Amino acid sequence: LKSSRCAMCQDGRACSKATQSLVAGSDWCQWRMINFTMIAAGLVLAILLAPHKETRPTEVRTVCGAPDQELKELRLPEVTAVNWGQWHGPYALPPERLVLCAEGKIFLWQRGGQMMRLPASQIPMLLPSLLKIWPRDRGAQDGDFIWILDEDYNLVIAPIMQRRAQKLVEVKHGDLAPGKTFFGENGIAGPYRGLARLGGEFNLAGNRNGSEWIMHAKSGYT
């Protein structure tokens, strides 16, 4: 900006009121808008580049809602409370999960706990997509996943090995359904393996390129 059109003289002294009046509503305002835009852009960039902190986990029922009454009346399979595996607790929802709600909605939690909703069109390609939506850095069990059918008929899937506090640890079925009590209320975390209907694993098979899978229902719930 030319010295005759700015609010500050070149030597840092304030210009006269007459000079300041020349820039009111013109270059000075434009300069302020540009400066504000640059600051805002810098803040957004800093937020995007900042390391992600693990956010508070979200309960499945919070995003999926209560089960349909017709499903509840089916009672197949029955809700199960188990004593198997209780010694592995306490349990807590893992940072990486995928939830296929009973009504068809899909929610994904990525490393760090960030949640997003996926289109229902991904349901037919659910198993192959498991290899793409999370990092492939899980050692010998990379490509192995555990699952449960929770008490509301939602399918919950998670990588067996996940990073917690910078350590690679094994996720248990109880982590997908933490129980606040032994026979009842599930939550974000709890000392018990909570209620569920079924549980098992999805594991890569064959040459482990995603074309062959083994699904089983081995867990304390079945």
Side-chain angles (χ1 to χ4, degrees):
L1 294 176
K2 296 180 180 179
S3 60
S4 60
R5 301 290 302 277
C6 67
M8 295 294 293
C9 295
Q10 289 183 352
D11 61 359
R13 293 175 298 161
C15 292
S16 66
K17 292 183 179 179
T19 303
Q20 292 181 23
S21 65
L22 290 175
V23 301
S26 58
D27 290 349
W28 176 247
C29 295
Q30 292 177 15
W31 182 85
R32 291 176 64 186
M33 291 177 62
I34 294 172
N35 201 32
F36 175 79
T37 302
M38 292 176 64
I39 293 173
L43 288 174
V44 171
L45 185 62
I47 292 172
L48 292 175
L49 296 179
H52 290 298
K53 294 182 179 180
E54 187 167 320
T55 56
R56 181 176 175 81
T58 305
E59 292 187 62
V60 175
R61 183 171 287 180
T62 302
V63 295
C64 292
D68 184 89
Q69 186 60 34
E70 292 184 6
L71 281 176
K72 293 177 68 176
E73 292 174 355
L74 286 176
R75 303 178 66 183
L76 294 173
E78 289 280 7
V79 174
T80 303
V82 299
N83 60 4
W84 177 262
Q86 294 294 357
W87 53 86
H88 292 304
Y91 297 100
L93 292 174
E96 296 170 289
R97 292 175 289 151
L98 184 142
V99 174
L100 174 56
C101 301
E103 64 177 30
K105 295 183 292 186
I106 309 177
F107 294 93
L108 169 69
W109 282 262
Q110 295 180 312
R111 184 171 295 174
Q114 294 80 26
M115 184 190 75
M116 66 178 67
R117 184 171 176 177
L118 302 181
S121 59
Q122 289 201 9
I123 293 178
M125 298 296 293
L126 183 61
L127 285 180
S129 68
L130 295 179
L131 302 177
K132 302 176 182 178
I133 57 180
W134 290 304
R136 301 288 303 274
D137 57 354
R138 304 171 197 277
Q141 288 191 274
D142 183 61
D144 295 343
F145 305 86
I146 62 171
W147 63 271
I148 65 164
L149 186 68
D150 72 10
E151 59 180 323
D152 293 336
Y153 293 94
N154 305 306
L155 179 65
V156 186
I157 306 171
I160 288 181
M161 303 304 295
Q162 298 197 25
R163 296 191 181 278
R164 283 179 160 174
Q166 306 302 317
K167 294 181 179 180
L168 198 61
V169 298
E170 183 178 356
V171 175
K172 301 290 186 179
H173 287 98
D175 291 312
L176 304 186
K180 297 180 181 179
T181 62
F182 181 77
F183 290 105
E185 186 180 4
N186 288 4
I188 293 173
Y192 303 102
R193 177 178 290 204
L195 300 178
R197 295 179 184 272
L198 287 172
E201 295 183 12
F202 294 117
N203 296 328
L204 276 176
N207 60 11
R208 298 181 71 83
N209 66 353
S211 61
E212 296 180 60
W213 293 79
I214 294 176
M215 177 184 177
H216 64 68
K218 297 178 182 178
S219 76
Y221 294 110
T222 50

